[in-house]
Amino acid sequence: MASQPRLQVLAASRNRISTLRGFPHLPSLESLRVEENPLLEMPHLEAALILLVGPTLKKFNDRDLNPTEAEVVKQYPAHTAICIRDGWEFCSPELAADSTFSFLLEQWKNKLPQDYIVKTAYVDHPFEEDPCHCHFSFTNLSSEGKLVLKYQWFLGGKTPTGFVPIPEELSEVYWPKSEDVGRCLKVECTPVLNDAEFPPVFAVSLPVCLGTGYPKVINLTVNGELVEGNVLKGVPQIAWCGGTPGKGVASWLRRTWNGNAVIDGAEGMEYQLTIDDIDSSLVFMYTPVTEEGVKGDPQCTMTDFVKAGTPSVSNVYVVGDIVEDNTIKGNGKYFGGKEGLSKFQWFREKENGGFLLVLSNSTQYTLIKEDVGWCLKFVYTPINLEGQEGEAAFAITEAVRKAPPKVFDLKITGEAREGSKVSVTATVTGGTVASSRVQWFKASSSEFVNDHELEALCTSKVSKTFRIPLGAVGCYIVAKFTPVGPDGEIGAPAYAILDDVVETLPPSLNFLTVTGEFSEDQMLTASYGYIGGYEGNSLYSWYLHETEDDEGSPLSEASGLLQYRIKKEDVGKFVSFKCIPIRNDGIVGEPGVFMGNDRVTP
């Protein structure tokens, strides 16, 4: 078994070791012996040896160290071991802080600028990935000039020995790394007065401790100009304290005179200022979170008040068909606080170049005959509520086209009844009624959407009257009017519709006649015209009359027939035909009678 590192200090008659000045650096020593030496009478000797050797020391004079001595060690300043090696007389922990600092002041006093003395010199207890600050201050008794301090950090061992400079660590703060855990830090502070450098003073730390694992925000700032439209960026400085860096939780709030309001959707590190932020300040909140899910305490920072941007306009354009008689509209995206009375102007291109103002103070313009063949320019001059005017922007249209034929005031006149005559009236521009086309349709609804919902009834080239057919009963009559110009150019069609559905007429006869010779053995044939919906089983009857005025007697053998052959016994009498119109739903109309003018001849 390998022997443990040991150091044996023997008694000597002529040169006894009575102090710990110059004690060697023994970083791996585990056991120490001191024999017949005045050091053995020193109070808290074991604590002093632990300070000098470090945490590896376990035995003294073959005995385990007293546990209470390890606790006593914690009461001594971090620089105690350095002072011991430089000859400081070891004392009780209660007096050590003032005593060691006085010892160092005595060493430094002749190296400092004249009339300066060190007031403070210490380092915070360092933790892994947590900013560690050093603190140096000087008292000026009478010297003139500004004292400038320069810093250099060093990394040592488990005891304050073996320090090597840490590159580029030249500020008052150092962030200990994971590999620094268990090792001591040292800071040298070099005073500079009137460009003259003086020897440095120093401070050392206790060994770097493991981080707590709880992240914390060290500093929180917001970068960006506080003007509407700009992008702000939250910049947190995080001490991860041994945790794995993760993605924190960010949010933006708007602060007004009546409190804070969370801004919906503003949950990133960046936020673009809007018009709603003007005259308000913003609050940026950030909570650090490690990859392990450990959350630190949330922190926030507040900005100054947000200002409105300079009035401007972008994306200026004109909507609408650039055709005579149409109304077009100019648009643009305003920016720069609340909009005031911005200027809107319309210009027409001139024949000799340039543009002529044709309308002001309106975003809309109706194209007229004089505009045909020329381009129009819409100019938008942004002005905010305070009257500040921004740079104007404009859009130029294509050349205005002549309007195609159009139809206005299209109407259908006439009654919505079976067999009724209807017609259209209209006003046509860019064409004539005579050259236009009219189509007649029926529709099941008065709110049709397109031609697919219409059923054609009749087509003609001009607007003539139209007799409503039986097939349109129960439907709406629709007229489609397509204007046509003299050159054959076709305009957009227009539609007109009768307000009521087409009604059917009551059953009736529009004519009734009998043909044939009223003579013995001749065939008579009756014919009639039926109107009033769809005909059902109309009734037919033939009669013989002694006179033209009597009711007559029915000829039963000819009942229900349209023809009758005259018999010998009919000679000298009158013959009549009677038709009773009946609709297919059983409705009976007024009967019709045809009476022959002459008596039947042989």
Side-chain angles (χ1 to χ4, degrees), residues 240-294:
W240 293 105
C241 301
T244 305
K247 184 178 180 181
V249 179
S251 61
W252 296 83
L253 296 86
R254 186 179 296 116
R255 185 178 180 86
T256 59
W257 62 271
N258 58 350
N260 295 340
V262 176
I263 302 174
D264 292 339
E267 299 173 349
M269 302 301 290
E270 294 184 350
Y271 172 69
Q272 186 170 22
L273 296 169
T274 69
I275 189 173
D276 296 329
D277 302 317
I278 295 173
D279 296 329
S280 301
S281 60
L282 295 182
V283 177
F284 175 64
M285 296 192 67
Y286 187 82
T287 302
V289 183
T290 67
E291 284 288 345
E292 295 79 15
V294 179

Side-chain angles (χ1 to χ4, degrees), residues 51-219:
L51 288 168
L52 291 166
V53 174
T56 60
L57 185 64
K58 304 298 181 185
K59 293 181 177 293
F60 177 63
N61 285 348
D62 298 326
R63 294 196 308 265
D64 290 338
L65 293 175
N66 186 342
T68 59
E69 291 296 287
E71 293 300 317
V72 170
V73 168
K74 299 177 182 179
Q75 302 177 39
Y76 283 89
H79 53 248
T80 301
I82 295 176
C83 292
I84 292 174
R85 287 192 175 91
D86 288 344
W88 172 69
E89 185 175 350
F90 194 73
C91 68
S92 64
E94 294 82 5
L95 304 174
D98 291 338
S99 178
T100 53
F101 190 63
S102 297
F103 179 79
L104 292 174
L105 290 179
E106 188 65 25
Q107 290 185 324
W108 294 336
K109 68 178 182 180
N110 295 326
K111 302 177 181 180
L112 297 176
Q114 186 177 359
D115 296 328
Y116 277 88
I117 59 174
V118 178
K119 183 178 179 181
T120 56
Y122 67 94
V123 181
D124 293 340
H125 191 169
F127 287 84
E128 174 190 12
E129 295 181 341
D130 196 347
C132 179
H133 294 256
C134 65
H135 305 270
F136 291 92
S137 63
F138 294 79
T139 299
N140 181 6
L141 299 178
S142 62
S143 295
E144 295 183 357
K146 182 179 180 180
L147 187 67
V148 178
L149 304 180
K150 297 169 62 177
Y151 303 94
Q152 173 64 62
W153 288 80
F154 296 80
L155 182 64
K158 296 180 180 179
T159 59
T161 56
F163 289 104
V164 294
I166 304 173
E168 299 182 1
E169 294 296 339
L170 307 175
S171 70
E172 295 177 74
V173 182
Y174 172 66
W175 293 60
K177 304 174 182 62
S178 297
E179 54 267 29
D180 299 341
V181 172
R183 303 173 70 177
C184 297
L185 300 175
K186 177 184 177 182
V187 188
E188 288 189 353
C189 175
T190 302
V192 180
L193 183 64
N194 299 327
D195 296 329
E197 286 194 9
F198 292 83
V201 297
F202 68 88
V204 296
S205 75
L206 295 171
V208 177
C209 292
L210 283 170
T212 62
Y214 287 88
K216 57 184 177 181
V217 178
I218 301 302
N219 188 35

Side-chain angles (χ1 to χ4, degrees), residues 369-492:
K369 182 178 180 180
E370 288 76 11
D371 300 323
V372 174
W374 302 105
C375 297
L376 291 177
K377 180 166 72 171
F378 171 67
V379 179
Y380 188 148
T381 304
I383 301 175
N384 65 16
L385 205 57
E386 288 73 34
Q388 182 183 4
E389 184 173 309
E391 184 176 351
F394 64 88
I396 298 179
T397 71
E398 61 187 31
V400 178
R401 302 188 302 277
K402 186 180 183 301
K406 287 185 179 180
V407 58
F408 302 94
D409 303 323
L410 180 63
K411 297 178 183 177
I412 301 177
T413 59
E415 292 186 43
R417 294 174 65 89
E418 172 196 357
S420 174
K421 289 184 179 181
V422 293
S423 61
V424 293
T425 60
T427 301
V428 177
T429 60
T432 64
V433 174
S435 62
S436 300
R437 185 173 63 184
V438 178
Q439 296 169 277
W440 295 92
F441 298 88
K442 65 178 181 179
S444 59
S445 169
S446 62
E447 298 180 353
F448 65 92
V449 177
N450 52 53
D451 287 4
H452 298 298
E453 299 181 24
L454 303 177
E455 184 178 341
L457 293 174
C458 177
T459 302
S460 63
K461 291 186 178 179
V462 296
S463 179
K464 294 294 187 180
T465 58
F466 171 69
R467 188 177 295 278
I468 299 176
L470 175 61
V473 171
C475 298
Y476 291 89
I477 297 298
V478 178
K480 178 182 179 181
F481 191 103
T482 304
V484 180
D487 56 358
E489 184 180 7
I490 297 175

